[in-house]
C-alpha cells in the first residue's frame, strides 16, 4: 500500500517559495499573480488578490460620460463584432 506524500518545496535564502506547477495550474496562478499572505494557526495561507477593489454597480453606474443618443442593442452588438473582426484581422 502506498502512502500519499504532498508536494514539498524549499524556502530560498531570499525567503522565496516555489509553488509546485500542478498546484499553480489547478489554481490558475501565473507568474506575477498577486497573493495575500496570512499567518494562521496551521501555517501560512495564500489567497489571490483582486486587481480591482470590490464595488457595487451603484458606485460606478454612469461614471463614463457619453453625450450622444443611447445605442440600441443591435448597434452595440454590431460595434463589438466590428472590433472583434478588426482585432482578428491583425489591425
Amino acid at each position: 500500500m502506498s502512502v500519499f506524500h504532498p508536494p514539498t518545496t524549499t524556502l530560498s535564502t531570499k525567503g522565496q517559495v516555489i509553488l509546485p506547477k500542478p498546484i499553480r495550474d489547478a489554481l490558475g496562478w501565473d507568474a506575477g499573480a498577486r497573493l495575500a499572505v496570512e499567518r494562521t494557526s496551521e501555517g501560512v495561507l495564500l489567497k489571490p488578490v483582486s486587481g480591482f477593489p470590490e464595488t457595487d454597480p451603484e458606485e460606478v453606474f454612469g461614471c463614463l460620460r457619453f453625450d450622444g443618443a443611447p445605442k440600441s442593442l443591435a448597434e452595440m452588438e454590431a460595434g463589438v463584432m466590428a472590433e472583434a473582426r478588426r482585432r482578428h484581422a491583425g489591425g
Side-chain angles (χ1 to χ4, degrees):
M1 172 155 90
S2 67
V3 177
F4 172 74
H5 295 286
T8 62
T9 190
T10 303
L11 185 66
S12 77
T13 57
K14 294 182 178 183
Q16 298 168 325
V17 173
I18 304 285
L19 296 176
K21 185 168 177 26
I23 292 175
R24 293 190 321 261
D25 289 347
L27 295 170
W29 292 353
D30 294 322
R34 294 191 44 81
L35 306 171
V37 182
E38 292 182 22
R39 183 176 176 183
T40 70
S41 61
E42 295 185 35
V44 176
L45 173 65
L46 299 176
K47 297 191 302 187
V49 175
S50 172
F52 299 98
E54 196 170 312
T55 58
D56 292 320
E58 293 80 24
E59 295 177 59
V60 296
F61 182 76
C63 66
L64 298 178
R65 200 164 217 169
F66 181 72
D67 292 328
K71 302 288 183 191
S72 69
L73 182 57
E75 289 172 317
M76 288 189 280
E77 288 175 345
V80 169
M81 288 303 298
E83 178 63 11
R85 286 188 193 101
R86 184 190 70 79
R87 288 185 185 191
H88 184 69

